[in-house]
Amino acid sequence: MPPLALTLGDPAGIGPELALSAWLARGGANPLPPFFLVADPDFIECLANRLNRLVPVAEVDPETAAEVFPRALPVVPLPSGAKVSAEPGAPDSANAGAVIESITAAVAFVAAKRAGAVVTNPIAKFVLTRAGFAHPGHTEYLAALSVPPGRTPPRPVMMIWSEDLAVVPVTIHVPLKDVPGLLTQELVEDTARIVARDLRDRFGLPEPRLVLAGLNPHAGEAGTIGHEDRDVLAPAVARLRSAGIDIRGPLPADTLFHARARATYDVALAPTHDQALIPIKTIAFDDGVNVTLGLPFVRTSPDHGTAFDIAGTGVARPDSLIAALRLAERLAATEAARTAPGPGGADIIPFSIYAGRPRASGAQHFDAEDEL
Protein backbone atom coordinates (compact mmCIF):
# COMPACT_ATOMS: atom_id res chain seq x y z
CA MET A 1 0.00 0.00 0.00
CA PRO A 2 1.29 3.51 -0.72
CA PRO A 3 2.42 5.57 2.29
CA LEU A 4 0.00 7.82 4.17
CA ALA A 5 -0.15 11.54 3.43
CA LEU A 6 0.03 13.66 6.61
CA THR A 7 -0.91 17.32 6.31
CA LEU A 8 0.94 20.26 7.82
CA GLY A 9 -1.90 21.57 9.99
CA ASP A 10 -1.44 25.03 11.49
CA PRO A 11 2.34 25.49 11.68
CA ALA A 12 2.00 27.53 14.89
CA GLY A 13 0.18 24.63 16.59
CA ILE A 14 1.33 21.24 17.80
CA GLY A 15 0.71 19.33 14.56
CA PRO A 16 4.20 19.63 13.01
CA GLU A 17 5.95 18.71 16.27
CA LEU A 18 3.62 15.72 16.69
CA ALA A 19 4.75 14.56 13.25
CA LEU A 20 8.32 14.63 14.56
CA SER A 21 7.31 12.68 17.68
CA ALA A 22 5.37 10.12 15.64
CA TRP A 23 8.36 9.48 13.38
CA LEU A 24 10.54 8.93 16.43
CA ALA A 25 8.01 6.28 17.57
CA ARG A 26 8.00 4.53 14.19
CA GLY A 27 9.85 1.34 15.21
CA GLY A 28 9.51 -1.32 17.85
CA ALA A 29 7.28 -4.35 18.08
CA ASN A 30 4.33 -2.50 16.54
CA PRO A 31 5.89 -0.23 13.90
CA LEU A 32 4.07 2.70 12.41
CA PRO A 33 3.01 2.58 8.76
CA PRO A 34 5.16 4.74 6.49
CA PHE A 35 3.91 8.29 6.09
CA PHE A 36 5.12 11.52 4.55
CA LEU A 37 4.43 15.07 5.66
CA VAL A 38 3.23 17.59 3.06
CA ALA A 39 5.00 20.75 4.20
CA ASP A 40 7.96 23.06 3.80
CA PRO A 41 11.01 20.84 4.50
CA ASP A 42 13.09 23.79 5.76
CA PHE A 43 10.43 24.72 8.32
CA ILE A 44 10.21 21.15 9.60
CA GLU A 45 13.99 20.87 9.88
CA CYS A 46 14.17 24.18 11.77
CA LEU A 47 11.41 23.05 14.10
CA ALA A 48 13.21 19.79 14.84
CA ASN A 49 16.37 21.73 15.72
CA ARG A 50 14.41 24.19 17.84
CA LEU A 51 12.88 21.33 19.84
CA ASN A 52 16.18 19.43 20.02
CA ARG A 53 14.59 16.47 18.28
CA LEU A 54 17.05 14.18 16.54
CA VAL A 55 14.90 13.83 13.43
CA PRO A 56 16.64 13.89 10.05
CA VAL A 57 14.38 15.44 7.41
CA ALA A 58 14.46 14.22 3.80
CA GLU A 59 12.81 16.00 0.89
CA VAL A 60 11.07 13.30 -1.17
CA ASP A 61 8.24 12.60 -3.55
CA PRO A 62 5.42 10.23 -2.54
CA GLU A 63 6.95 7.33 -4.47
CA THR A 64 10.22 7.38 -2.51
CA ALA A 65 8.74 8.20 0.93
CA ALA A 66 8.36 4.59 2.10
CA GLU A 67 11.97 3.78 1.22
CA VAL A 68 13.25 6.83 3.11
CA PHE A 69 10.92 6.47 6.11
CA PRO A 70 13.10 4.10 8.23
CA ARG A 71 16.01 6.57 8.29
CA ALA A 72 14.43 10.05 7.94
CA LEU A 73 11.12 11.87 8.15
CA PRO A 74 9.94 12.12 4.52
CA VAL A 75 8.64 15.58 3.63
CA VAL A 76 6.98 16.24 0.28
CA PRO A 77 7.32 19.96 -0.49
CA LEU A 78 4.21 22.03 -1.12
CA PRO A 79 3.56 21.96 -4.89
CA SER A 80 3.90 25.74 -5.14
CA GLY A 81 7.20 25.68 -3.30
CA ALA A 82 5.69 27.92 -0.61
CA LYS A 83 7.78 28.58 2.47
CA VAL A 84 6.44 28.61 6.02
CA SER A 85 7.54 30.79 8.88
CA ALA A 86 5.73 30.43 12.19
CA GLU A 87 6.30 31.06 15.86
CA PRO A 88 4.84 28.33 18.11
CA GLY A 89 1.62 29.53 19.70
CA ALA A 90 1.29 32.57 17.41
CA PRO A 91 -1.16 31.72 14.59
CA ASP A 92 -0.72 33.89 11.51
CA SER A 93 -3.06 34.13 8.51
CA ALA A 94 0.02 34.56 6.33
CA ASN A 95 0.37 30.78 6.56
CA ALA A 96 -3.23 30.06 5.53
CA GLY A 97 -2.24 29.41 1.92
CA ALA A 98 0.32 26.79 2.92
CA VAL A 99 -2.14 25.10 5.30
CA ILE A 100 -4.79 24.85 2.58
CA GLU A 101 -2.29 23.78 -0.08
CA SER A 102 -1.08 20.93 2.13
CA ILE A 103 -4.63 19.60 2.47
CA THR A 104 -5.32 19.97 -1.25
CA ALA A 105 -2.10 18.20 -2.22
CA ALA A 106 -2.67 15.32 0.21
CA VAL A 107 -6.12 14.63 -1.26
CA ALA A 108 -4.68 14.82 -4.79
CA PHE A 109 -1.98 12.29 -3.87
CA VAL A 110 -4.63 9.85 -2.64
CA ALA A 111 -6.79 10.40 -5.73
CA ALA A 112 -3.75 9.60 -7.90
CA LYS A 113 -3.00 6.51 -5.75
CA ARG A 114 0.31 8.02 -4.72
CA ALA A 115 -0.83 7.89 -1.09
CA GLY A 116 -3.04 5.39 0.70
CA ALA A 117 -5.04 7.75 2.91
CA VAL A 118 -5.14 11.30 4.25
CA VAL A 119 -4.25 11.99 7.87
CA THR A 120 -4.83 15.62 8.80
CA ASN A 121 -3.08 17.62 11.48
CA PRO A 122 -5.24 20.16 13.38
CA ILE A 123 -6.02 23.54 11.83
CA ALA A 124 -7.47 26.73 13.31
CA LYS A 125 -10.52 27.69 11.27
CA PHE A 126 -10.42 31.31 12.39
CA VAL A 127 -6.94 31.67 10.87
CA LEU A 128 -8.15 30.42 7.50
CA THR A 129 -11.38 32.43 7.63
CA ARG A 130 -9.44 35.65 8.11
CA ALA A 131 -7.57 34.82 4.91
CA GLY A 132 -10.81 34.34 2.93
CA PHE A 133 -11.35 30.58 3.32
CA ALA A 134 -14.93 30.06 2.17
CA HIS A 135 -15.69 26.63 3.65
CA PRO A 136 -17.33 26.11 7.07
CA GLY A 137 -14.49 23.90 8.22
CA HIS A 138 -11.81 21.31 7.55
CA THR A 139 -14.16 18.42 6.81
CA GLU A 140 -16.37 20.40 4.43
CA TYR A 141 -13.29 21.38 2.45
CA LEU A 142 -12.21 17.75 2.19
CA ALA A 143 -15.68 16.84 0.93
CA ALA A 144 -15.50 19.59 -1.70
CA LEU A 145 -12.11 18.32 -2.86
CA SER A 146 -13.52 14.83 -3.37
CA VAL A 147 -15.65 15.83 -6.39
CA PRO A 148 -15.01 17.86 -9.56
CA PRO A 149 -15.71 21.62 -9.30
CA GLY A 150 -19.42 22.37 -9.52
CA ARG A 151 -20.50 18.90 -8.35
CA THR A 152 -22.39 18.43 -5.10
CA PRO A 153 -19.97 17.06 -2.51
CA PRO A 154 -20.86 14.00 -0.42
CA ARG A 155 -22.17 14.49 3.10
CA PRO A 156 -19.34 13.75 5.55
CA VAL A 157 -20.07 12.21 8.95
CA MET A 158 -17.73 12.62 11.92
CA MET A 159 -16.99 9.49 13.92
CA ILE A 160 -14.68 9.56 16.94
CA TRP A 161 -13.11 6.12 17.29
CA SER A 162 -11.06 4.31 19.89
CA GLU A 163 -10.44 0.66 20.68
CA ASP A 164 -13.03 0.87 23.47
CA LEU A 165 -15.75 3.10 22.03
CA ALA A 166 -16.82 4.71 18.76
CA VAL A 167 -19.38 7.51 18.61
CA VAL A 168 -21.10 9.66 16.00
CA PRO A 169 -22.76 12.97 16.88
CA VAL A 170 -25.78 13.49 14.63
CA THR A 171 -25.61 17.27 15.13
CA ILE A 172 -22.21 18.79 15.70
CA HIS A 173 -21.18 22.39 16.37
CA VAL A 174 -24.54 24.04 16.94
CA PRO A 175 -26.10 25.68 20.00
CA LEU A 176 -27.96 23.21 22.18
CA LYS A 177 -31.18 25.24 21.84
CA ASP A 178 -31.12 24.65 18.05
CA VAL A 179 -30.77 20.85 18.21
CA PRO A 180 -34.49 19.93 18.42
CA GLY A 181 -35.20 21.87 15.23
CA LEU A 182 -32.26 20.36 13.38
CA LEU A 183 -32.87 16.79 14.51
CA THR A 184 -35.05 15.47 11.70
CA GLN A 185 -35.93 11.90 10.87
CA GLU A 186 -34.16 12.31 7.52
CA LEU A 187 -30.94 13.50 9.20
CA VAL A 188 -30.89 10.54 11.57
CA GLU A 189 -31.55 8.04 8.79
CA ASP A 190 -28.97 9.56 6.43
CA THR A 191 -26.32 9.59 9.16
CA ALA A 192 -26.99 5.99 10.17
CA ARG A 193 -26.88 4.76 6.57
CA ILE A 194 -23.48 6.38 5.99
CA VAL A 195 -22.15 4.92 9.25
CA ALA A 196 -23.44 1.41 8.47
CA ARG A 197 -22.01 1.51 4.93
CA ASP A 198 -18.53 2.59 5.99
CA LEU A 199 -18.44 0.08 8.85
CA ARG A 200 -19.07 -2.63 6.26
CA ASP A 201 -16.75 -1.35 3.53
CA ARG A 202 -13.83 0.02 5.54
CA PHE A 203 -14.03 -1.60 8.96
CA GLY A 204 -14.87 -4.98 7.47
CA LEU A 205 -17.89 -5.54 9.72
CA PRO A 206 -20.47 -7.46 7.65
CA GLU A 207 -23.30 -6.73 10.10
CA PRO A 208 -22.47 -3.55 12.00
CA ARG A 209 -24.43 -2.93 15.18
CA LEU A 210 -25.60 0.61 15.84
CA VAL A 211 -27.40 2.22 18.76
CA LEU A 212 -29.04 5.63 18.97
CA ALA A 213 -29.07 7.61 22.19
CA GLY A 214 -32.19 9.51 23.14
CA LEU A 215 -32.25 13.28 23.11
CA ASN A 216 -34.17 13.75 26.34
CA PRO A 217 -33.60 12.20 29.79
CA HIS A 218 -34.68 8.53 29.83
CA ALA A 219 -35.18 8.80 26.04
CA GLY A 220 -38.28 10.89 26.65
CA GLU A 221 -40.21 8.28 28.64
CA ALA A 222 -42.80 7.73 25.90
CA GLY A 223 -43.30 11.44 25.34
CA THR A 224 -43.63 12.54 28.95
CA ILE A 225 -40.21 14.26 28.84
CA GLY A 226 -40.23 15.82 25.40
CA HIS A 227 -41.60 14.44 22.17
CA GLU A 228 -38.50 14.20 19.95
CA ASP A 229 -37.56 10.66 20.95
CA ARG A 230 -41.07 9.36 20.31
CA ASP A 231 -41.90 11.40 17.20
CA VAL A 232 -38.52 11.71 15.43
CA LEU A 233 -35.94 9.23 16.67
CA ALA A 234 -38.13 6.14 17.13
CA PRO A 235 -39.66 6.35 13.61
CA ALA A 236 -36.17 6.82 12.12
CA VAL A 237 -34.95 3.68 13.89
CA ALA A 238 -38.00 1.74 12.69
CA ARG A 239 -37.37 2.75 9.06
CA LEU A 240 -33.68 1.87 9.32
CA ARG A 241 -34.47 -1.53 10.79
CA SER A 242 -36.97 -2.21 8.01
CA ALA A 243 -34.16 -1.43 5.55
CA GLY A 244 -31.98 -4.12 7.15
CA ILE A 245 -29.75 -1.95 9.35
CA ASP A 246 -29.11 -3.35 12.83
CA ILE A 247 -29.86 -0.35 15.03
CA ARG A 248 -31.54 -0.02 18.43
CA GLY A 249 -32.97 3.03 20.12
CA PRO A 250 -33.59 5.60 21.16
CA LEU A 251 -32.01 4.42 24.42
CA PRO A 252 -31.30 6.46 27.55
CA ALA A 253 -27.96 8.18 27.03
CA ASP A 254 -26.99 8.02 30.69
CA THR A 255 -26.66 4.22 30.66
CA LEU A 256 -25.41 3.66 27.13
CA PHE A 257 -21.68 3.97 27.71
CA HIS A 258 -20.75 1.71 30.61
CA ALA A 259 -18.67 -1.38 29.82
CA ARG A 260 -21.50 -3.93 29.55
CA ALA A 261 -23.51 -1.65 27.30
CA ARG A 262 -20.54 -0.91 25.04
CA ALA A 263 -20.05 -4.63 24.39
CA THR A 264 -23.41 -4.79 22.59
CA TYR A 265 -22.77 -2.32 19.77
CA ASP A 266 -20.07 -1.11 17.38
CA VAL A 267 -21.00 2.58 17.17
CA ALA A 268 -23.24 4.81 19.25
CA LEU A 269 -25.04 7.64 17.50
CA ALA A 270 -26.03 10.58 19.71
CA PRO A 271 -28.30 13.54 18.90
CA THR A 272 -25.91 16.15 20.34
CA HIS A 273 -22.20 16.81 20.17
CA ASP A 274 -21.49 16.51 23.89
CA GLN A 275 -23.59 13.38 24.38
CA ALA A 276 -21.17 11.64 22.03
CA LEU A 277 -17.86 13.29 22.83
CA ILE A 278 -17.99 13.43 26.64
CA PRO A 279 -17.95 9.63 27.06
CA ILE A 280 -15.23 8.97 24.49
CA LYS A 281 -13.00 11.76 25.74
CA THR A 282 -13.44 10.34 29.23
CA ILE A 283 -12.58 6.81 28.13
CA ALA A 284 -9.97 7.54 25.44
CA PHE A 285 -8.79 11.12 25.88
CA ASP A 286 -5.26 10.55 24.57
CA ASP A 287 -5.82 8.07 21.76
CA GLY A 288 -9.21 8.88 20.23
CA VAL A 289 -9.25 9.32 16.45
CA ASN A 290 -11.47 11.53 14.31
CA VAL A 291 -12.61 9.48 11.29
CA THR A 292 -14.54 11.12 8.47
CA LEU A 293 -17.13 8.74 7.04
CA GLY A 294 -18.90 9.29 3.73
CA LEU A 295 -15.87 10.42 1.72
CA PRO A 296 -14.51 8.45 -1.27
CA PHE A 297 -11.12 8.23 0.46
CA VAL A 298 -9.94 7.40 3.96
CA ARG A 299 -9.37 10.40 6.23
CA THR A 300 -8.41 10.28 9.88
CA SER A 301 -7.21 12.96 12.26
CA PRO A 302 -6.12 13.34 15.88
CA ASP A 303 -9.04 14.01 18.17
CA HIS A 304 -7.68 17.33 19.45
CA GLY A 305 -7.00 20.84 18.28
CA THR A 306 -3.96 23.00 17.59
CA ALA A 307 -3.15 23.49 21.31
CA PHE A 308 -1.46 26.84 20.70
CA ASP A 309 -0.93 27.18 24.45
CA ILE A 310 1.62 24.33 24.57
CA ALA A 311 3.01 24.52 21.02
CA GLY A 312 6.77 24.62 20.95
CA THR A 313 7.19 23.38 24.53
CA GLY A 314 7.75 19.76 23.52
CA VAL A 315 5.16 18.40 25.95
CA ALA A 316 2.40 17.59 23.43
CA ARG A 317 1.64 13.86 23.35
CA PRO A 318 1.55 12.15 19.94
CA ASP A 319 -0.78 9.32 21.04
CA SER A 320 -3.81 10.51 19.07
CA LEU A 321 -1.81 11.16 15.90
CA ILE A 322 -0.16 7.75 16.18
CA ALA A 323 -3.60 6.15 16.62
CA ALA A 324 -4.86 8.12 13.59
CA LEU A 325 -1.97 6.85 11.45
CA ARG A 326 -2.52 3.25 12.53
CA LEU A 327 -6.26 3.43 11.92
CA ALA A 328 -5.80 5.07 8.51
CA GLU A 329 -3.58 2.18 7.46
CA ARG A 330 -6.13 -0.39 8.66
CA LEU A 331 -9.03 1.30 6.90
CA ALA A 332 -7.12 1.84 3.66
CA ALA A 333 -5.97 -1.79 3.66
CA THR A 334 -9.52 -3.04 4.17
CA GLU A 335 -10.77 -0.76 1.40
CA ALA A 336 -8.01 -1.98 -0.93
CA ALA A 337 -8.82 -5.61 -0.17
CA ARG A 338 -12.53 -5.04 -0.83
CA THR A 339 -11.90 -3.43 -4.22
CA ALA A 340 -9.04 -5.69 -5.32
CA PRO A 341 -9.41 -7.09 -8.85
CA GLY A 342 -10.50 -10.66 -9.29
CA PRO A 343 -13.59 -12.61 -8.27
CA GLY A 344 -14.83 -11.20 -5.01
CA GLY A 345 -11.65 -9.20 -4.37
CA ALA A 346 -9.08 -10.18 -1.78
CA ASP A 347 -9.92 -11.71 1.58
CA ILE A 348 -11.03 -9.12 4.11
CA ILE A 349 -10.17 -9.64 7.74
CA PRO A 350 -12.85 -7.77 9.68
CA PHE A 351 -11.91 -6.11 12.92
CA SER A 352 -14.29 -5.25 15.69
CA ILE A 353 -14.40 -1.72 17.02
CA TYR A 354 -13.51 -3.42 20.29
CA ALA A 355 -10.49 -5.34 19.10
CA GLY A 356 -10.13 -8.62 20.92
CA ARG A 357 -13.10 -8.07 23.23
CA PRO A 358 -16.08 -10.42 23.34
CA ARG A 359 -19.08 -9.11 21.45
CA ALA A 360 -22.14 -9.55 23.64
CA SER A 361 -25.60 -9.82 22.15
CA GLY A 362 -27.66 -6.67 21.85
CA ALA A 363 -30.75 -8.14 23.46
CA GLN A 364 -30.24 -6.37 26.76
CA HIS A 365 -32.04 -3.14 27.47
CA PHE A 366 -30.12 -0.65 29.54
CA ASP A 367 -32.07 1.55 31.90
CA ALA A 368 -31.36 3.37 35.13
CA GLU A 369 -31.13 0.13 37.11
CA ASP A 370 -28.00 -0.84 35.20
CA GLU A 371 -26.10 1.95 36.91
CA LEU A 372 -26.40 0.20 40.27
Side-chain angles (χ1 to χ4, degrees):
M1 194 178 69
L4 307 174
L6 175 62
T7 66
L8 170 66
D10 194 298
I14 63 172
E17 65 185 82
L18 293 181
L20 298 172
S21 298
W23 183 83
L24 287 171
R26 68 197 181 284
N30 188 18
L32 275 181
F35 66 87
F36 60 84
L37 184 61
V38 185
D40 170 13
D42 293 336
F43 170 73
I44 300 303
E45 189 168 22
C46 289
L47 180 64
N49 293 333
R50 181 173 188 159
L51 294 169
N52 293 316
R53 300 282 173 84
L54 298 177
V55 179
V57 173
E59 183 175 325
V60 300
D61 57 35
E63 286 71 26
T64 57
E67 177 189 349
V68 168
F69 185 75
R71 62 180 183 273
L73 172 62
V75 179
V76 174
L78 298 166
S80 69
K83 295 298 180 180
V84 174
S85 178
E87 282 296 312
D92 187 347
S93 291
N95 290 314
V99 173
I100 295 168
E101 187 178 2
S102 178
I103 300 168
T104 306
V107 172
F109 289 141
V110 173
K113 300 189 184 306
R114 303 176 73 189
V118 175
V119 181
T120 58
N121 264 317
I123 65 171
K125 287 178 283 188
F126 75 89
V127 174
L128 304 187
T129 301
R130 289 174 182 172
F133 187 64
H135 298 270
H138 207 162
T139 302
E140 290 83 0
Y141 184 55
L142 289 162
L145 290 175
S146 72
V147 295
R151 294 276 300 275
T152 301
R155 177 174 174 261
V157 169
M158 179 176 76
M159 180 170 77
I160 309 298
W161 177 92
S162 75
E163 293 285 3
D164 293 310
L165 175 65
V167 296
V168 171
V170 179
T171 64
I172 306 178
H173 300 128
V174 297
L176 193 58
K177 65 180 177 60
D178 295 342
V179 170
L182 296 170
L183 196 64
T184 64
Q185 185 174 329
E186 292 73 20
L187 177 64
V188 174
E189 291 181 31
D190 190 32
T191 302
R193 291 176 192 276
I194 292 170
V195 172
R197 183 192 67 207
D198 274 25
L199 287 183
R200 286 192 301 267
D201 292 351
R202 289 189 174 144
F203 284 82
L205 297 175
E207 297 180 354
R209 303 165 304 163
L210 281 57
V211 293
L212 175 64
L215 173 66
N216 297 296
H218 302 175
E221 287 195 0
T224 59
I225 310 176
H227 63 85
E228 293 86 0
D229 299 282
R230 180 195 63 196
D231 297 344
V232 178
L233 302 187
V237 168
R239 282 176 55 89
L240 290 164
R241 290 184 66 84
S242 68
I245 293 176
D246 183 354
I247 182 170
R248 295 177 293 133
L251 298 174
D254 60 346
T255 57
L256 200 55
F257 299 104
H258 62 77
R260 283 186 294 121
R262 296 199 307 270
T264 69
Y265 59 80
D266 297 309
V267 175
L269 282 66
T272 73
H273 176 277
D274 284 7
Q275 279 180 315
L277 269 65
I278 287 173
I280 195 164
K281 290 197 174 186
T282 300
I283 293 169
F285 183 78
D286 289 318
D287 54 6
V289 178
N290 185 342
V291 188
T292 304
L293 309 180
L295 297 179
F297 53 85
V298 172
R299 181 265 181 138
T300 66
S301 179
D303 183 27
H304 57 67
T306 52
F308 292 126
D309 57 329
I310 61 171
T313 65
V315 302
R317 294 179 54 147
D319 306 56
S320 188
L321 175 58
I322 289 172
L325 291 163
R326 293 194 193 284
L327 182 61
E329 181 196 34
R330 293 168 74 180
L331 298 181
T334 304
E335 176 82 353
R338 184 181 65 86
T339 58
D347 290 338
I348 296 175
I349 302 175
F351 63 90
S352 168
I353 297 295
Y354 312 107
R357 289 177 52 190
R359 290 162 60 92
S361 75
Q364 304 175 62
H365 175 72
F366 296 99
D367 55 27
E369 293 178 357
D370 283 297
E371 294 180 327
L372 303 177

